[in-house]
Amino acid sequence: MPMENPENPRKWRFTWEAQSHSPNLRLFLFDSQTKPSVQCKKLKVHLNLFQSQVLVSWLKEEKEEEVTVRVPIPRVLIDSESPVSFRALDDHIEVKLVLLLPVGHPIVSRFDSVLNSSENGDDALAPDAATPLVMDTDLKSLSSIEEGVHFYCRNCSIRLTENPLRNFVEMPSIDWREVADNWFGACCCSFGGISEKMVTRFANSYKCAKGVCLLSFTAVVLSKDDLVACKLYNRTQEHQPGSDFSSDCVLSEEMLSSRESTNDLCGKLSSMHLKNDSVTKNVLVAKEEANGHKLFSALPVPDVSENETSVLGCCVHTENHIRNHVDEGGQHDVSETCLVDQNTSKLLANQKLFLNGSLGNAFMAKSYNLSMDIEWMEFVCPNCLSLLGAYPFDNGGAPIDGGVRLFKCYISTCTSAGGLGDMFSRKYSLERMFTNQLLENAKDELSFRTVVRDLKTKSPLLQIVLLNPNSWCCSGYCLDSASAMESSLKLDLLPVIKVLFSDCSKSAASQLRVCEDWITRNLADVVCMFTRQVDELIQSLASAKDILPPSYNFLQDLPVSSLQR
């Protein structure tokens, strides 16, 4: 954040900038009221490494009065033997220092970590902003807290969770089809039996069970039962479960553990299946366990048209499929059966819908992963109504899995957001999470052009062109020579990406057509986000644009800006 200096009335601003490919550190000094090439005579630059400052002085044109400003130097390895170059341009003064090593060099990174570990106090908060976002760190940190973790709204500090959470599990990858492409086919000749089990286990791994928190890179996924006074609304109406298969087909743990007769239990299950003919048929298979109890698992059987002929040995041959499954001899775990609890039943009722589309967490969804059958709704804070996350509905107006995705950039793990005990606020921000996802997509899609669409209307809101993914910068206001501040401020260069951007949110219809043509012509990557998130990103881009002098604000008629990574 820029540092306000009340003793500097002219508001001379400084920005340090470094590139990964260049061993140079550039300083931009500018003031909107001054034209340095004309008004700054006899420009001098003195490098004071003892106080980590650069002193820049000149004579005013009208009164021949000397003006001196001091600029703190960030923590970098400067080559003191190399000369300092500088020049006065129309809208800024440029100073260039030579570095011993580029800022992104591994030796420099280790040097910074040593300095950070030796410091205490408020400055210890700064390194979190430059720490890479690694989910494994969150998983270990959250799991190590014995008393459990509560989540809070970062904006108003209200507690969101009813009870402390202690069970944290990594969320399965949404790219599971690409990873296991060879295991899936239309027939059992493509490992049909094995792939069916894998699909079922994958679907069940997304269950939002009470007391279990699924962790992804950008979100935490909780069951709505873990949240305080949580109500899921389909557009404006609260969802009320009906008497469909997903809400009726429930087996409690008591029913499974009791010694009811096989006929009674089968009768209950049969009546549940007959209540809804549209649900995919299931076949109940009983297996004798070592203790004498019978456990039941419902095997999903593909829908077979009456006109479709079954070929012997094909995976649509239901009778052989069931017989082979029973003869495998493997034990069936109650937790993996399809009809153990309400959540599993709902998931199986929507299994085809769920598996055809990438459920993910809707923070930044790729367009080709979105399904027309899934509608994402905003989840807002019950106290301040700020955006906290999202949850999915199907076309019938029912929650798909009863889970709520809370975005890490909007929640904290303690009441005082940003404090030492907070694992999210000091590291996760909308800007950083978006930037990291943007870079990942650029690697995957081999595209440096991205369009962000509205998650609901699919209209374009923001265009971004990636210029440099490895830059560093910091900005603030200069200190004048009369300042009583003896010790220099400690600055850290923060990693950023340099981008071109265009705000399409308020564009006319003709401009939107131009944007659509730009997407097609440049094969731009397309992602979708909520409008409130995109508006916040546009504000960050517009604000960051001002840290450079006006002559650096535009390129190819598009604003130049940066985002922290």
Side-chain angles (χ1 to χ4, degrees):
M1 294 294 292
M3 298 172 295
E4 296 289 346
N5 179 22
E7 298 186 15
N8 182 16
R10 299 300 297 273
K11 298 297 181 186
W12 277 88
R13 188 167 188 170
F14 73 85
T15 295
W16 291 100
E17 185 180 78
Q19 309 295 334
S20 59
H21 59 274
S22 175
N24 294 312
L25 181 66
R26 289 201 299 174
L27 169 64
F28 299 96
L29 286 173
F30 55 99
D31 176 16
S32 60
Q33 304 176 14
T34 305
K35 188 175 183 180
S37 60
V38 175
Q39 298 175 264
C40 299
K41 300 298 183 179
K42 297 182 180 180
L43 183 65
K44 297 178 183 178
V45 176
H46 174 65
L47 183 61
N48 187 345
L49 293 178
F50 179 74
Q51 292 186 343
S52 297
Q53 293 179 352
V54 172
L55 275 67
V56 183
S57 60
W58 63 87
L59 295 178
K60 285 185 180 180
E61 181 189 21
E62 60 273 10
K63 299 181 181 179
E64 295 294 326
E65 179 184 353
E66 186 178 45
V67 176
T68 302
V69 295
R70 299 189 300 164
V71 181
I73 301 175
R75 296 188 294 187
V76 291
L77 299 178
I78 297 175
D79 186 356
S80 59
E81 297 182 358
S82 298
V84 178
S85 60
F86 54 90
R87 56 179 179 166
L89 302 174
D90 285 343
D91 62 351
H92 70 281
I93 297 172
E94 181 180 336
V95 180
K96 186 180 293 185
L97 305 180
V98 179
L99 301 177
L100 292 173
L101 291 171
V103 177
H105 196 279
I107 294 179
V108 178
S109 301
R110 287 194 290 268
F111 174 72
D112 288 341
S113 63
V114 171
L115 288 178
N116 293 336
S117 62
S118 63
E119 292 184 353
N120 297 313
D122 294 337
D123 294 328
L125 299 179
D128 279 346
T131 303
L133 302 182
V134 181
M135 197 195 66
D136 287 345
T137 306
D138 297 336
L139 190 62
K140 294 176 182 177
S141 300
L142 293 171
S143 301
S144 63
I145 303 177
E146 296 181 359
E147 63 272 18
V149 177
H150 277 294
F151 293 120
Y152 302 84
C153 171
R154 193 180 297 187
N155 185 52
C156 67
S157 298
I158 189 174
R159 198 182 76 189
L160 303 173
T161 46
E162 188 172 5
N163 298 306
L165 299 168
R166 296 178 177 85
N167 193 358
F168 298 92
V169 182
E170 182 176 353
M171 192 172 186
S173 171
I174 63 174
D175 299 323
W176 62 279
R177 280 192 183 274
E178 298 178 9
V179 175
D181 185 55
N182 293 332
W183 288 91
F184 298 93
C187 189
C188 55
C189 58
S190 300
F191 305 99
I194 299 176
S195 65
E196 183 179 310
K197 293 181 182 179
M198 292 178 66
V199 170
T200 303
R201 289 195 177 190
F202 167 78
N204 288 336
S205 66
Y206 267 97
K207 288 189 302 183
C208 298
K210 185 176 181 180
V212 178
C213 176
L214 297 178
L215 281 175
S216 70
F217 178 77
T218 55
V220 296
V221 185
L222 303 178
S223 168
K224 64 181 180 64
D225 298 327
D226 285 317
L227 298 173
V228 178
C230 175
K231 297 179 180 179
L232 302 185
Y233 291 87
N234 184 15
R235 296 178 182 88
T236 57
Q237 299 296 325
E238 182 183 353
H239 170 70
Q240 299 293 339
S243 59
D244 55 359
F245 169 78
S246 61
S247 58
D248 285 343
C249 188
V250 181
L251 285 183
S252 64
E253 295 181 1
E254 291 78 6
M255 290 175 63
L256 288 172
S257 60
S258 64
R259 296 173 177 258
E260 288 185 288
S261 66
T262 304
N263 293 333
D264 293 341
L265 191 53
C266 289
K268 291 182 180 180
L269 288 170
S270 300
S271 63
M272 292 175 184
H273 282 283
L274 293 175
K275 287 184 180 180
N276 194 331
D277 294 334
S278 63
V279 180
T280 302
K281 296 180 178 62
N282 291 268
V283 178
L284 197 65
V285 179
K287 294 219 55 180
E288 191 76 25
E289 295 295 325
N291 58 4
H293 295 280
K294 288 183 180 289
L295 295 180
F296 298 86
S297 67
L299 303 181
V301 179
D303 291 332
V304 182
S305 173
E306 295 179 359
N307 299 326
E308 183 178 351
T309 58
S310 299
V311 180
L312 185 62
C314 186
C315 53
V316 299
H317 200 72
T318 305
E319 184 177 353
N320 286 345
H321 171 72
I322 299 171
R323 184 182 299 112
N324 293 336
H325 188 90
V326 175
D327 292 340
E328 286 177 359
Q331 294 184 353
H332 293 275
D333 187 0
V334 177
S335 63
E336 294 179 0
T337 59
C338 304
L339 300 174
V340 173
D341 55 27
Q342 182 175 0
N343 290 333
T344 312
S345 302
K346 288 181 179 180
L347 191 58
L348 269 187
N350 294 314
Q351 186 173 10
K352 186 175 180 180
L353 164 69
F354 168 71
L355 295 175
N356 285 342
S358 173
L359 203 55
N361 56 44
F363 172 78
M364 183 176 173
K366 296 181 180 180
S367 60
Y368 56 76
N369 276 338
L370 292 176
S371 171
M372 296 297 293
D373 298 319
I374 297 176
E375 181 179 6
W376 287 97
M377 308 298 295
E378 292 184 350
F379 183 79
V380 299
C381 174
N383 182 52
C384 65
L385 301 182
S386 60
L387 179 65
L388 293 179
Y391 52 89
F393 269 84
D394 61 19
N395 283 338
I400 290 182
D401 59 359
V404 177
R405 284 82 175 145
L406 300 179
F407 301 148
K408 292 180 181 178
C409 57
Y410 297 134
I411 61 175
S412 59
T413 57
C414 64
T415 53
S416 56
L420 291 175
D422 191 357
M423 299 181 187
F424 289 162
S425 298
R426 293 166 50 192
K427 187 167 64 171
Y428 289 96
S429 65
L430 173 64
E431 187 175 328
R432 293 195 71 194
M433 287 164 53
F434 173 79
T435 301
N436 280 267
Q437 292 289 94
L438 188 70
L439 293 177
E440 285 295 325
N441 290 350
K443 292 178 184 178
D444 295 340
E445 308 299 332
L446 299 178
S447 174
F448 299 101
R449 296 174 176 86
T450 302
V451 170
V452 184
R453 294 185 183 272
D454 184 281
L455 189 60
K456 294 180 179 294
T457 65
K458 304 302 183 292
S459 59
L461 300 176
L462 176 64
Q463 290 176 259
I464 288 186
V465 180
L466 184 60
L467 293 179
N468 189 342
N470 294 307
S471 297
W472 284 262
C473 78
C474 61
S475 180
Y477 288 97
C478 299
L479 309 171
D480 57 28
S481 58
S483 173
M485 194 172 180
E486 294 296 335
S487 61
S488 62
L489 296 172
K490 296 178 181 178
L491 295 181
D492 287 291
L493 287 174
L494 298 179
V496 299
I497 62 172
K498 296 200 71 173
V499 298
L500 302 177
F501 76 98
S502 176
D503 181 4
C504 308
S505 59
K506 299 179 177 61
S507 299
S510 59
Q511 293 175 309
L512 291 179
R513 285 194 294 270
V514 173
C515 179
E516 295 289 353
D517 180 66
W518 181 85
I519 298 172
T520 304
R521 187 175 65 256
N522 294 286
L523 300 176
D525 188 27
V526 180
V527 298
C528 299
M529 301 179 70
F530 287 117
T531 303
R532 280 207 266 185
Q533 293 175 285
V534 182
D535 289 342
E536 188 177 340
L537 285 172
I538 292 174
Q539 293 178 6
S540 297
L541 288 164
S543 176
K545 178 175 67 70
D546 297 331
I547 68 173
L548 291 175
S551 58
Y552 285 83
N553 285 164
F554 286 89
L555 180 64
Q556 300 177 355
D557 297 328
L558 290 176
V560 179
S561 187
S562 61
L563 290 170
Q564 186 181 346
R565 58 180 169 88

